[in-house]
Amino acid sequence: MATAQFLCNSSYQPSFKRKNPRNFSQNSSFSSFSRHGYCNFNRNLRFHTAPFVRAMASDSKLGTKQIEIVYDPDERINRLADEVDNTSGLSRLTLFSPCKINVFLRITSKREDGFHDLASLFHVISLGDKIKFSLSPSKDKDSLSTNAPGVPLDERNLIIKALNLYRKRTGSNQFFWIHLDKSVPTGAGLGGGSSNAATALWAANQFSGGLASEKELQEWSGEIGSDVPFFFSHGAAYCTGRGEVVKDVVPIPKEIPMVLIKPQQACPTGEVYKHLCMDQTSKVEPLSLLEKISENGISQDICINDLEPPAFQVLPSLKKLKQRILAAGRGQYDAVFMSGSGSTIVGIGSPDPPQFVYDDEEYQNIFWSAHFLTRGENQWYAEPSSTLPTETE
């Protein structure tokens, strides 16, 4: 009687593995300089399957003979994956979405449309979010998820607004799965949401093969928010108008460290502007501040923020925090100031907070050590390896 027996590797567990010589792993990022910029994305995934499936046959009447057929699914699946790699475009993309600080912020006038004209030195810093984009089979909806509670996941989110704007402007029909890994605090005056929007526009343009120029992306982005166009600078810019008029300037050396201290309370931007009195703003010419920074670097007298007095009215504890940092710093910082409309206080010159931040229960919050950041020509901002949030105990 003939019998047949099938043997296979019982320890089989599917996992992602890259065959040599490409040596790609599940958590790796593949870096590429595409025609329109730098990107990190995961592709060319491989399944590591059972090393063999063996079939054996024997016949007891005729004497034992064995016929062995060896099937290697690894080879077949990887060959199919190679075919997909050769025919498909970009399908996944992970980008760093950095925030900014305002080294100085002058409010120069109130406009007839209710907005205010400003003049400010914006600079990107090394604190940021990470956003993962994947092409979706949907033809009518993006899907957004996040690790941060309270962040809207619908059209109120600036990421979704940016993707809708890109499709409107270019005619693209691509929709996405997006995961926002949030590190930048909200209500902080750091432009985290604006950065997310700019990053989404850049990503959509990468997936489409570059339907828009970078200048077009910058111009369109002003429809989303006043701070969004800045992120299409190289990382340091003198911004005027509502913030949408962007002029690149020489960046501040990234070796200069800073610490950002964000109280638990947020500063609603609308409330801050409601308390703004134009006759109480600084009279210093903004361009003179820019000139002094380029000649002598950052100092306390240069880091003027006209939104500090109204923000301190809205949140009196914020004024107390700044005063304590200045007193406890004892020359530790070149300058201490509020960024944007608050509520983050920035200390330039040291990556460490004053000791009271560790000792006082009132200030048991999260702070970050950071540095200035720029981007290269036709590249998006690269994620630094050393900027990590620190929580006091």
Side-chain angles (χ1 to χ4, degrees), residues 209-220:
L211 292 176
S213 68
E214 193 169 315
K215 184 178 180 181
E216 288 174 319
L217 294 178
Q218 186 178 48
E219 291 175 351
W220 300 343

Side-chain angles (χ1 to χ4, degrees), residues 45 77 125 128 145 171 208 248 267 271 280-281 288 293 306 320 334 337 344 348 361 365 389 391:
L45 296 177
I77 292 175
I125 63 172
S145 63
S208 72
D248 282 300
C267 250
E271 286 299 310
Q280 296 179 7
T281 59
S288 71
I293 289 177
D306 284 334
K320 179 182 176 183
D334 299 322
F337 56 91
T344 300
I348 299 291
E361 289 186 3
N365 51 29
E391 187 169 0

Side-chain angles (χ1 to χ4, degrees), residues 159-219:
I159 293 174
I160 302 299
K161 286 186 177 182
L163 296 174
N164 285 335
L165 176 64
Y166 186 82
R167 285 186 289 264
K168 176 183 175 182
R169 289 288 190 167
T170 64
S172 169
N173 63 353
Q174 292 179 326
F175 289 81
F176 302 93
W177 287 310
I178 313 105
H179 180 73
L180 171 62
D181 188 358
K182 197 76 179 158
S183 296
V184 178
T186 57
L190 299 175
S194 297
S195 173
N196 291 167
T199 304
L201 284 174
W202 177 275
N205 204 43
Q206 295 295 303
F207 278 99
S208 72
L211 292 176
S213 68
E214 193 169 315
K215 184 178 180 181
E216 288 174 319
L217 294 178
Q218 186 178 48
E219 291 175 351

Side-chain angles (χ1 to χ4, degrees), residues 20 88 121 137 139 151 155 220 339 358 386:
N20 288 331
S88 65
L121 174 56
K139 293 301 179 184
V151 173
E155 286 75 10
W220 300 343
S339 178
Y358 296 99
S386 59

Side-chain angles (χ1 to χ4, degrees), residues 121 123 234 236 248-252 294:
L121 174 56
H123 210 302
H234 60 51
D248 282 300
V249 297
V250 176
I252 297 171
S294 65

Side-chain angles (χ1 to χ4, degrees), residues 261-264 321 324 355-367 390-393:
I261 303 174
K262 166 68 174 69
Q264 296 294 339
L321 175 59
R324 290 196 66 179
Q355 186 61 40
F356 76 83
V357 173
Y358 296 99
D359 299 338
D360 195 328
E361 289 186 3
E362 182 180 359
Y363 296 109
Q364 287 188 353
N365 51 29
I366 294 177
F367 66 88
T390 307
E391 187 169 0
T392 60
E393 298 179 356

